[in-house]
Every structure is written in C-alpha cells, then in structure tokens.
Amino acid sequence: MADWTWRFEKADGTEVAPAVEPEEFTTQGDAESWIGEQWKELVAGGADQVFLHEDGALVYGPMSLHAEEAEPVAEPVAEADA
C-alpha cells in the first residue's frame, strides 16, 4: 500500500511544520482532497508551497498554496439586431 505525504515549505524553500497535521493518506486523491480543504489554514500557518511524495519519491511540487489574483472576465457584448 502506498504512503502519500506532503512536504510544507516557505517560498524560500525552508521546510515548515504544517498548521494542520495531515492524515495518513493511502491514495493520491485523498491527499489532494485534503490539501484542497486545508490550504487556507496552511497558508495562515506559514506554508507557501507544498510537494507531494509517494513512498518518499517526489510526485510533484512545488505547488503554491496562494490563490492567484484573477482578473475579472468581461462578459461578451451582444450585438444589437439590425
């Protein structure tokens, strides 16, 4: 059975303890669902980015925990009927 774990870091790469202690994850989906539910608390606790590992091997990362500032999308303008 695979062991999925997160590594938590500041933006400069310094490892930090998570503000919310992660569970033990047996699937990638469970680990990703958890990070999706906890990211705001993790950011508030000082984490800026995470790395996902499976049995100690890097799967992906760094992944930022900061929501990007999105520009509002303009609604298309309907042309008047001629």
Side-chain angles (χ1 to χ4, degrees), residues 5-17:
T5 57
W6 291 105
R7 175 183 165 95
F8 306 89
E9 294 185 352
K10 293 192 167 290
D12 66 4
T14 305
E15 188 170 9
V16 296

Side-chain angles (χ1 to χ4, degrees), residues 21-75:
E21 193 61 36
E23 307 166 17
E24 292 185 18
F25 306 108
T26 56
T27 69
Q28 182 174 356
D30 288 346
E32 291 171 338
S33 292
W34 181 85
I35 207 81
E37 295 168 1
Q38 304 297 330
W39 69 270
K40 289 181 183 178
E41 289 80 5
L42 295 166
V43 169
D48 294 310
Q49 59 191 16
V50 294
F51 294 77
L52 182 63
H53 293 84
E54 178 185 13
D55 294 330
L58 178 64
V59 176
Y60 62 79
M63 179 177 73
S64 176
L65 293 177
H66 295 278
E68 295 179 1
E69 297 296 327
E71 300 256 340
V73 177
E75 292 293 320

